[in-house]
Protein backbone atom coordinates (compact mmCIF):
# COMPACT_ATOMS: atom_id res chain seq x y z
CA UNK A 1 0.00 0.00 0.00
CA UNK A 2 1.44 3.35 -1.03
CA UNK A 3 0.69 6.37 1.15
CA UNK A 4 -0.30 9.48 -0.76
CA UNK A 5 1.84 12.46 0.25
CA UNK A 6 0.80 15.80 -1.27
CA UNK A 7 3.69 17.31 -3.16
CA UNK A 8 4.74 20.93 -3.57
CA UNK A 9 2.78 21.22 -6.83
CA UNK A 10 -0.49 20.10 -5.24
CA UNK A 11 0.00 22.48 -2.32
CA UNK A 12 0.67 25.30 -4.78
CA UNK A 13 -2.54 24.51 -6.68
CA UNK A 14 -4.49 24.61 -3.42
CA UNK A 15 -2.99 27.96 -2.37
CA UNK A 16 -5.54 30.21 -4.21
CA UNK A 17 -8.41 28.32 -2.61
CA UNK A 18 -6.86 28.65 0.83
CA UNK A 19 -6.29 32.38 0.31
CA UNK A 20 -9.90 32.85 -0.83
CA UNK A 21 -11.21 30.94 2.20
CA UNK A 22 -8.94 32.95 4.48
CA UNK A 23 -10.20 36.25 3.03
CA UNK A 24 -13.80 35.06 3.37
CA UNK A 25 -13.13 34.09 6.98
CA UNK A 26 -11.71 37.55 7.75
CA UNK A 27 -14.79 39.19 6.20
CA UNK A 28 -17.07 37.01 8.36
CA UNK A 29 -15.14 37.69 11.57
CA UNK A 30 -14.66 41.44 11.05
CA UNK A 31 -18.22 42.54 12.11
CA UNK A 32 -17.81 40.57 15.34
CA UNK A 33 -14.41 42.17 15.94
CA UNK A 34 -15.84 45.64 15.27
CA UNK A 35 -18.70 44.99 17.72
CA UNK A 36 -16.32 44.17 20.58
CA UNK A 37 -13.89 46.94 19.52
CA UNK A 38 -16.69 49.52 19.70
CA UNK A 39 -17.89 48.20 23.05
CA UNK A 40 -14.35 48.62 24.49
CA UNK A 41 -13.86 52.22 23.33
CA UNK A 42 -14.24 55.12 25.72
CA UNK A 43 -17.81 56.56 25.61
CA UNK A 44 -16.56 59.74 23.87
CA UNK A 45 -14.81 57.65 21.15
CA UNK A 46 -17.63 55.24 20.29
CA UNK A 47 -18.00 56.61 16.73
CA UNK A 48 -14.25 56.56 16.06
CA UNK A 49 -13.14 54.67 12.91
CA UNK A 50 -9.81 53.62 14.40
CA UNK A 51 -9.47 49.83 13.90
CA UNK A 52 -7.81 49.34 17.29
CA UNK A 53 -9.63 50.73 20.34
CA UNK A 54 -7.14 52.44 22.63
CA UNK A 55 -7.12 53.08 25.51
CA UNK A 56 -9.45 50.23 26.38
CA UNK A 57 -12.43 51.11 28.54
CA UNK A 58 -15.23 49.19 30.22
CA UNK A 59 -17.34 52.34 30.52
CA UNK A 60 -19.91 51.11 27.99
CA UNK A 61 -20.40 47.87 29.92
CA UNK A 62 -20.83 49.81 33.18
CA UNK A 63 -23.38 52.14 31.58
CA UNK A 64 -25.24 49.18 30.03
CA UNK A 65 -25.49 47.47 33.43
CA UNK A 66 -27.00 50.66 34.88
CA UNK A 67 -29.57 50.94 32.09
CA UNK A 68 -30.78 47.31 31.89
CA UNK A 69 -30.68 44.27 34.17
CA UNK A 70 -28.23 42.26 32.02
CA UNK A 71 -27.86 39.22 34.33
CA UNK A 72 -31.65 38.76 34.46
CA UNK A 73 -31.92 39.17 30.68
CA UNK A 74 -29.19 36.56 30.16
CA UNK A 75 -30.91 34.13 32.56
CA UNK A 76 -34.32 34.62 30.91
CA UNK A 77 -32.99 34.29 27.37
CA UNK A 78 -30.91 31.22 28.25
CA UNK A 79 -33.93 29.62 29.92
CA UNK A 80 -36.20 30.30 26.93
CA UNK A 81 -33.64 29.10 24.37
CA UNK A 82 -32.70 26.03 26.43
CA UNK A 83 -36.29 24.90 27.02
CA UNK A 84 -37.20 25.52 23.38
CA UNK A 85 -34.19 23.58 22.08
CA UNK A 86 -34.66 20.67 24.51
CA UNK A 87 -38.38 20.48 23.71
CA UNK A 88 -37.78 20.42 19.96
CA UNK A 89 -34.95 17.93 20.38
CA UNK A 90 -37.09 15.55 22.45
CA UNK A 91 -40.19 15.71 20.25
CA UNK A 92 -38.01 15.48 17.12
CA UNK A 93 -36.18 12.42 18.46
CA UNK A 94 -39.39 10.60 19.43
CA UNK A 95 -41.12 11.37 16.12
CA UNK A 96 -38.07 10.49 14.02
CA UNK A 97 -37.64 7.20 15.94
CA UNK A 98 -41.27 6.32 15.29
CA UNK A 99 -41.10 7.17 11.57
CA UNK A 100 -37.78 5.36 11.07
CA UNK A 101 -38.21 2.30 13.28
CA UNK A 102 -41.90 1.51 13.44
CA UNK A 103 -44.37 0.25 10.86
CA UNK A 104 -47.96 1.51 11.00
CA UNK A 105 -50.77 2.27 8.52
CA UNK A 106 -50.47 5.45 6.43
CA UNK A 107 -46.95 5.97 7.73
CA UNK A 108 -45.70 7.60 4.53
CA UNK A 109 -48.73 9.90 4.29
CA UNK A 110 -48.35 10.93 7.94
CA UNK A 111 -44.68 11.75 7.39
CA UNK A 112 -45.45 13.83 4.30
CA UNK A 113 -48.13 15.75 6.20
CA UNK A 114 -45.70 16.25 9.07
CA UNK A 115 -42.99 17.54 6.76
CA UNK A 116 -45.59 19.73 5.03
CA UNK A 117 -46.05 21.70 8.25
CA UNK A 118 -42.45 22.88 7.81
CA UNK A 119 -43.51 24.68 4.63
CA UNK A 120 -46.30 26.64 6.33
CA UNK A 121 -45.18 30.27 6.81
CA UNK A 122 -44.95 31.56 10.35
CA UNK A 123 -47.43 34.34 9.53
CA UNK A 124 -50.15 31.68 8.98
CA UNK A 125 -49.77 30.11 12.44
CA UNK A 126 -48.95 33.34 14.25
CA UNK A 127 -52.52 34.53 14.83
CA UNK A 128 -53.98 31.16 16.01
CA UNK A 129 -51.07 30.73 18.41
CA UNK A 130 -51.55 34.26 19.73
CA UNK A 131 -55.29 33.71 20.33
CA UNK A 132 -54.56 30.38 22.05
CA UNK A 133 -52.01 31.99 24.38
CA UNK A 134 -54.52 34.74 25.16
CA UNK A 135 -57.14 32.15 26.15
CA UNK A 136 -54.60 30.23 28.24
CA UNK A 137 -53.44 33.40 30.00
CA UNK A 138 -49.83 32.97 28.82
CA UNK A 139 -49.39 36.36 27.18
CA UNK A 140 -46.56 38.46 28.67
CA UNK A 141 -44.98 35.34 30.16
CA UNK A 142 -41.84 33.43 29.19
CA UNK A 143 -43.97 30.28 28.97
CA UNK A 144 -45.91 31.88 26.15
CA UNK A 145 -42.65 32.26 24.21
CA UNK A 146 -41.66 28.62 24.76
CA UNK A 147 -44.84 26.52 24.53
CA UNK A 148 -45.79 27.12 20.84
CA UNK A 149 -42.20 26.28 19.80
CA UNK A 150 -41.78 22.92 21.55
CA UNK A 151 -42.12 20.99 18.30
CA UNK A 152 -40.13 21.46 15.09
CA UNK A 153 -40.48 19.58 11.81
CA UNK A 154 -36.87 20.46 10.99
CA UNK A 155 -35.60 18.32 13.88
CA UNK A 156 -37.72 15.36 12.78
CA UNK A 157 -36.46 15.56 9.20
CA UNK A 158 -32.78 15.79 10.16
CA UNK A 159 -32.92 13.04 12.78
CA UNK A 160 -34.88 10.67 10.55
CA UNK A 161 -32.17 10.95 7.90
CA UNK A 162 -29.61 9.79 10.44
CA UNK A 163 -31.91 7.08 11.82
CA UNK A 164 -32.53 5.67 8.33
CA UNK A 165 -28.79 4.95 8.15
CA UNK A 166 -28.67 3.50 11.67
CA UNK A 167 -27.43 -0.15 11.74
CA UNK A 168 -30.52 -2.37 11.87
CA UNK A 169 -28.40 -5.14 13.43
CA UNK A 170 -28.07 -3.12 16.64
CA UNK A 171 -31.84 -2.69 16.87
CA UNK A 172 -32.43 -6.41 16.21
CA UNK A 173 -29.82 -7.32 18.83
CA UNK A 174 -31.50 -5.05 21.39
CA UNK A 175 -34.87 -6.64 20.57
CA UNK A 176 -33.47 -10.17 20.96
CA UNK A 177 -31.95 -9.01 24.27
CA UNK A 178 -35.50 -8.29 25.49
CA UNK A 179 -35.26 -4.52 25.55
CA UNK A 180 -38.40 -2.48 24.98
CA UNK A 181 -38.56 0.20 22.27
CA UNK A 182 -38.29 2.95 24.88
CA UNK A 183 -35.19 1.36 26.47
CA UNK A 184 -33.66 0.68 23.06
CA UNK A 185 -34.07 4.34 22.17
CA UNK A 186 -32.20 5.65 25.23
CA UNK A 187 -29.57 2.89 25.62
CA UNK A 188 -28.76 2.08 21.98
CA UNK A 189 -29.95 4.80 19.61
CA UNK A 190 -29.22 7.99 21.57
CA UNK A 191 -25.60 7.08 22.55
CA UNK A 192 -24.82 6.41 18.87
CA UNK A 193 -26.48 9.66 17.72
CA UNK A 194 -24.56 12.00 20.00
CA UNK A 195 -22.91 13.88 17.12
CA UNK A 196 -26.08 14.71 15.11
CA UNK A 197 -28.00 15.39 18.32
CA UNK A 198 -25.30 17.86 19.43
CA UNK A 199 -25.28 19.57 16.02
CA UNK A 200 -29.07 19.83 16.00
CA UNK A 201 -29.11 21.04 19.63
CA UNK A 202 -26.83 23.99 18.93
CA UNK A 203 -28.75 24.80 15.73
CA UNK A 204 -32.06 24.87 17.64
CA UNK A 205 -30.51 26.79 20.55
CA UNK A 206 -29.04 29.49 18.29
CA UNK A 207 -32.34 29.80 16.40
CA UNK A 208 -34.29 30.22 19.64
CA UNK A 209 -31.63 32.61 21.00
CA UNK A 210 -31.87 34.88 17.96
CA UNK A 211 -35.67 34.80 17.69
CA UNK A 212 -37.08 38.32 17.90
CA UNK A 213 -40.51 38.57 16.29
CA UNK A 214 -42.39 36.01 18.42
CA UNK A 215 -41.00 37.24 21.81
CA UNK A 216 -41.84 40.81 20.75
CA UNK A 217 -45.46 39.71 20.12
CA UNK A 218 -45.86 37.75 23.35
CA UNK A 219 -43.93 40.04 25.73
CA UNK A 220 -45.68 43.29 24.90
CA UNK A 221 -45.43 44.80 28.39
CA UNK A 222 -41.87 43.89 29.28
CA UNK A 223 -38.34 43.50 27.89
CA UNK A 224 -37.59 40.22 29.65
CA UNK A 225 -35.26 38.75 26.99
CA UNK A 226 -32.07 40.08 25.42
CA UNK A 227 -33.60 40.72 22.02
CA UNK A 228 -36.15 43.11 23.52
CA UNK A 229 -33.54 44.57 25.87
CA UNK A 230 -31.44 45.50 22.83
CA UNK A 231 -34.51 47.03 21.23
CA UNK A 232 -34.94 49.32 24.22
CA UNK A 233 -31.57 50.96 23.37
CA UNK A 234 -32.72 51.58 19.79
CA UNK A 235 -36.03 53.24 20.74
CA UNK A 236 -34.73 55.19 23.75
CA UNK A 237 -34.79 58.97 23.46
CA UNK A 238 -36.84 58.83 20.29
CA UNK A 239 -34.45 56.53 18.46
CA UNK A 240 -31.67 59.11 18.31
CA UNK A 241 -29.00 56.42 18.69
CA UNK A 242 -27.20 57.97 21.68
CA UNK A 243 -26.50 54.59 23.31
CA UNK A 244 -24.35 52.92 20.65
CA UNK A 245 -21.62 52.01 23.15
CA UNK A 246 -23.92 50.26 25.69
CA UNK A 247 -25.82 48.69 22.78
CA UNK A 248 -22.60 47.11 21.49
CA UNK A 249 -21.66 46.03 25.01
CA UNK A 250 -24.98 44.20 25.52
CA UNK A 251 -24.77 42.68 22.02
CA UNK A 252 -21.25 41.44 22.80
CA UNK A 253 -22.43 39.85 26.04
CA UNK A 254 -25.35 38.26 24.16
CA UNK A 255 -22.88 36.46 21.85
CA UNK A 256 -20.82 34.90 24.66
CA UNK A 257 -23.23 32.04 25.58
CA UNK A 258 -23.35 30.98 21.91
CA UNK A 259 -19.55 30.94 21.71
CA UNK A 260 -19.35 28.93 24.94
CA UNK A 261 -21.91 26.40 23.70
CA UNK A 262 -20.02 25.96 20.43
CA UNK A 263 -16.71 25.39 22.25
CA UNK A 264 -18.31 22.72 24.46
CA UNK A 265 -20.00 20.86 21.57
CA UNK A 266 -17.40 21.62 18.88
CA UNK A 267 -16.11 18.05 18.46
CA UNK A 268 -19.60 16.56 18.12
CA UNK A 269 -20.70 19.28 15.68
CA UNK A 270 -17.70 18.77 13.38
CA UNK A 271 -18.22 14.99 13.46
CA UNK A 272 -21.91 15.38 12.59
CA UNK A 273 -21.25 17.59 9.58
CA UNK A 274 -18.36 15.41 8.36
CA UNK A 275 -20.48 12.25 8.55
CA UNK A 276 -23.40 13.98 6.85
CA UNK A 277 -21.12 15.04 4.03
CA UNK A 278 -19.81 11.52 3.50
CA UNK A 279 -23.29 10.00 3.08
Amino acid sequence: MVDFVPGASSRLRALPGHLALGALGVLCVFPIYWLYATSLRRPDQVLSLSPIPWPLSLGNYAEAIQLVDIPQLLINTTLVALLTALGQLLTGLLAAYAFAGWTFPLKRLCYLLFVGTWLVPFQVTMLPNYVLLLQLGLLNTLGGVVVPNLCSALGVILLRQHLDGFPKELLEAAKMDGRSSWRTLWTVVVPNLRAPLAALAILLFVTAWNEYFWPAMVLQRSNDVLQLGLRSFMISEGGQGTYWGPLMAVAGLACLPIFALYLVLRRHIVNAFVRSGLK
Side-chain angles (χ1 to χ4, degrees):
M1 180 177 179
V2 180
D3 295 333
F4 175 74
V5 179
S9 59
S10 61
R11 289 197 294 269
L12 190 60
R13 286 195 299 270
L15 184 59
H18 291 166
L19 291 176
L21 291 175
L24 185 61
V26 171
L27 288 176
C28 293
V29 171
F30 183 75
I32 301 174
Y33 166 76
W34 195 258
L35 183 150
Y36 284 105
T38 303
S39 70
L40 292 173
R41 299 183 195 277
R42 294 192 314 187
D44 58 340
Q45 295 181 349
V46 167
L47 300 181
S48 172
L49 297 180
S50 173
I52 300 177
W54 191 263
L56 297 179
S57 172
L58 296 177
N60 292 319
Y61 289 88
E63 186 176 358
I65 291 174
Q66 292 178 354
L67 294 173
V68 296
D69 189 356
I70 294 178
Q72 189 62 48
L73 291 181
L74 283 172
I75 292 174
N76 290 345
T77 309
T78 303
L79 184 64
V80 168
L82 193 62
L83 291 177
T84 302
L86 288 178
Q88 293 184 2
L89 203 61
L90 178 61
T91 55
L93 177 64
L94 295 177
Y97 182 59
F99 282 122
W102 290 6
T103 301
F104 51 88
L106 303 177
K107 172 182 171 180
R108 184 176 178 81
L109 177 61
C110 291
Y111 182 70
L112 290 177
L113 291 175
F114 198 90
V115 173
T117 61
W118 189 38
L119 305 177
V120 178
F122 168 74
Q123 289 78 5
V124 176
T125 60
M126 173 184 65
L127 187 57
N129 284 334
Y130 184 85
V131 173
L132 181 60
L133 291 182
L134 178 63
Q135 294 175 347
L136 294 176
L138 291 177
L139 281 182
N140 294 301
T141 65
L142 295 180
V145 181
V146 175
V147 170
N149 295 314
L150 288 178
C151 183
S152 168
L154 174 64
V156 179
I157 296 170
L158 293 178
L159 289 179
R160 190 192 171 178
Q161 288 181 344
H162 286 279
L163 284 171
D164 283 340
F166 195 83
K168 304 299 181 187
E169 294 80 5
L170 289 178
L171 299 179
E172 292 296 330
K175 187 176 180 180
M176 293 177 63
D177 197 33
R179 301 188 189 189
S180 63
S181 297
W182 180 259
R183 192 179 171 196
T184 300
L185 172 64
W186 295 108
T187 59
V188 178
V189 176
V190 171
N192 288 285
L193 285 181
R194 282 179 296 183
L197 285 174
L200 180 60
I202 193 171
L203 180 64
L204 296 175
F205 185 86
V206 171
T207 302
W209 185 274
N210 293 330
E211 180 63 40
Y212 171 78
F213 191 72
W214 181 246
M217 281 194 63
V218 176
L219 304 175
Q220 298 176 355
R221 299 176 185 172
S222 63
N223 295 325
D224 286 340
V225 292
L226 271 170
Q227 303 91 319
L228 304 185
L230 288 170
R231 182 189 61 178
S232 66
F233 286 103
M234 302 297 294
I235 63 177
S236 60
E237 297 188 0
Q240 297 300 316
T242 58
Y243 290 121
W244 283 111
L247 174 64
M248 294 297 173
V250 176
L253 291 174
C255 296
L256 294 181
I258 302 297
F259 293 152
L261 183 64
Y262 173 75
L263 291 177
V264 172
L265 301 176
R266 179 181 57 184
R267 183 168 59 87
H268 296 300
I269 294 170
V270 173
N271 288 338
F273 283 112
V274 169
R275 291 178 182 177
S276 297
L278 292 177
K279 284 182 178 179

